[in-house]
Amino acid sequence: MKFPDLIHAFKPNPKSNIQESWRVLDYFSHLLESLSTLTWLFDDVGIPQDYRHMEGFGVHTFTLINKAGRVRYVKFHWKPTCGVKCLLDDEAKM
């Protein structure tokens, strides 16, 4: 029952009507699969300079089957060949 718990974690406090960050972090702390998302969320990765200098990854898993009938589950990750570049603080403020 992950989805109802997720909805409950993002609901605001019924008394103050303010969203409490500890509820969200408490929910994610019990899910090992959320570790990657939390790492990206709280990392110091800046705003990408453009799509050419940005890493990317798919959220879906695909099933690939070779000629022998062997099944592989894959996720795609894109790594830029010219490196990751982010905007500087002054450029990001524009």
Side-chain angles (χ1 to χ4, degrees):
M1 298 259 288
K2 291 181 184 180
F3 187 71
D5 292 337
L6 175 68
I7 297 301
H8 181 72
F10 279 96
K11 281 187 176 180
N13 185 323
K15 290 183 180 178
S16 65
N17 206 27
I18 297 174
Q19 187 175 8
E20 298 166 329
S21 59
W22 69 267
R23 296 169 85 178
V24 176
L25 293 175
D26 181 56
Y27 170 77
F28 283 119
S29 69
H30 296 295
L31 299 174
L32 293 177
E33 62 265 31
S34 68
L35 182 61
S36 176
T37 302
L38 287 176
T39 303
W40 275 95
L41 181 64
F42 291 106
D43 197 2
D44 61 350
V45 176
I47 299 171
Q49 187 177 29
D50 50 34
Y51 288 121
R52 183 178 186 174
H53 297 98
M54 182 174 96
E55 290 182 336
F57 53 90
V59 295
H60 300 291
T61 303
F62 296 92
T63 304
L64 300 181
I65 305 170
N66 63 11
K67 290 180 182 179
R70 191 167 185 166
V71 176
R72 296 281 187 207
Y73 298 104
V74 297
K75 292 186 82 151
F76 293 103
H77 293 258
W78 293 271
K79 301 285 184 184
T81 56
C82 52
V84 175
K85 293 184 182 174
C86 297
L87 296 176
L88 300 174
D89 287 339
D90 295 337
E91 296 170 331
K93 290 179 184 176
M94 292 180 165

